[in-house]
Amino acid sequence: MPHDFGSLDRFRYRTVELHFEFLRQFGSPVPGGAKVLDFGCGIGDTVAVLLHLGYDAYGIDVTEFWGRDIGRWWLKQDPPPPEIRKRLFCVGTDPYRLPFADATFDFCFSDEVFEHVANPATCFAEIARVLKPGALSLHRFPGPNSLVEGHILFPLAGLCHWTPWIALCAQLGFRPLHGKGWSARETMGHCKTWMAEVFYPSKRRLRRYARDANVKIEFLERRDFVMRDIGGFARMRHVAEGIGAGPIARLILPLFAQRYMLLRRSAA
């Protein structure tokens, strides 16, 4: 379905608002009108949301979804209007450098991006470079404990780089969202291609990348789980609370929820 930049969906608004609410509860509120970077902006619809909310927003991505690469993936997309496009920047990977001066942004965030990042240490360092002193960066993305791999819709994300698992799921009839009518062989080929661009580094490895980039890193899934009010895990939490199993849900479900990663520049 094409994006409609004149009617941005409520889910996207709420996703953005939750980042700011989280920072307020964390004790680091972002003021209205602040300069914000959407790291991995896609076609720019979240930048449009931020502008509508009164922020000075910009986006970067390694694929120009809003221009020469529009329609590269399986969705047919309409380009954003010129006032959005002028705020979106495509970044090369060799060398990888964000097209902004040091200490430009009050806040940086991403959603569903870091599972596609092949060079986390470099990205961490660049994010830290363009943040103002004391500014924070929040990133929500799936990890290997996800019960469903969100790109191919196969169960148990941590197994979905393993060819025998993909083959078994394909034979059992699992198909990606846009794979209706595919044979098992076609499904395997497409899924292996997609998974080649998905990475699930462990938290231990991400912490090592953060040390290499001189960046402090925290994982805050439990806090995020308690306050987040949209998505499947929020619905599961509400059900658990309704039957008196809230403490058990808060203990167990964050293990399988999306990662919520906070980055900040280390003191030099």
Side-chain angles (χ1 to χ4, degrees):
M1 180 177 180
H3 290 281
D4 180 358
F5 285 88
S7 179
L8 294 160
D9 64 275
R10 181 59 191 163
F11 186 90
R12 193 169 300 279
Y13 268 98
R14 187 61 187 145
T15 297
V16 169
E17 290 169 343
L18 279 168
H19 287 306
F20 292 106
E21 288 182 16
F22 187 93
L23 287 176
R24 282 195 293 273
Q25 292 192 14
F26 198 76
S28 299
V30 178
K35 195 176 288 289
V36 176
L37 177 63
D38 181 359
F39 183 85
C41 62
I43 200 169
D45 40 8
T46 303
V47 171
V49 167
L50 289 160
L51 291 171
H52 188 260
L53 292 173
Y55 295 97
D56 184 13
Y58 298 84
I60 65 98
D61 213 309
V62 295
T63 300
E64 195 177 303
F65 293 105
W66 57 91
R68 66 175 181 267
D69 297 315
I70 197 164
R72 174 179 170 185
W73 303 107
W74 50 84
L75 291 177
K76 293 186 181 296
Q77 300 173 330
D78 292 331
E83 62 269 24
I84 303 298
R85 287 203 301 271
K86 69 182 182 181
R87 291 173 171 269
L88 309 178
F89 298 86
C90 192
V91 183
T93 56
D94 187 21
Y96 183 85
R97 185 172 176 85
L98 302 184
F100 305 104
D102 296 1
T104 295
F105 291 98
D106 299 287
F107 177 52
C108 171
F109 75 98
S110 70
D111 287 290
E112 318 290 340
V113 171
F114 259 94
E115 76 273 24
H116 298 293
V117 171
N119 55 342
T122 302
C123 291
F124 289 172
E126 276 296 282
I127 288 170
R129 181 185 65 79
V130 301
L131 286 175
K132 294 178 181 178
L136 302 179
S137 179
L138 284 172
H139 305 272
R140 183 181 283 110
F141 58 102
N145 291 344
S146 297
L147 298 177
V148 176
E149 208 297 314
H151 305 87
I152 62 174
L153 303 184
F154 283 14
L156 304 179
L159 295 178
C160 287
H161 284 110
W162 189 40
T163 298
W165 182 250
I166 290 179
L168 175 62
C169 291
Q171 291 293 340
L172 290 175
F174 288 94
R175 295 293 182 268
L177 181 62
H178 300 277
K180 184 178 180 180
W182 287 353
S183 68
R185 183 180 294 275
E186 288 173 318
T187 299
M188 280 188 60
H190 283 284
C191 290
K192 289 177 68 175
T193 298
W194 286 335
M195 291 305 297
E197 297 189 12
V198 179
F199 309 96
Y200 289 127
S202 65
K203 288 184 177 180
R204 181 177 182 180
R205 183 172 295 181
L206 288 168
R207 290 188 177 99
R208 191 185 73 212
Y209 292 142
R211 287 195 302 271
D212 292 343
N214 196 32
V215 168
K216 291 185 178 179
I217 188 170
E218 295 179 63
F219 293 98
L220 302 169
E221 290 88 358
R222 293 192 183 278
R223 281 200 196 192
D224 180 53
F225 176 78
V226 170
M227 68 166 287
R228 189 166 169 81
D229 58 9
I230 56 174
F233 275 86
R235 291 191 292 272
M236 292 169 70
R237 188 190 76 236
H238 290 316
V239 169
E241 290 170 347
I243 62 174
I248 296 174
R250 289 191 292 273
L251 178 66
I252 295 175
L253 290 181
L255 298 174
F256 305 99
Q258 289 197 331
R259 287 174 172 165
Y260 203 43
M261 180 175 73
L262 181 144
L263 302 174
R264 70 177 98 203
R265 183 173 7 195
S266 300

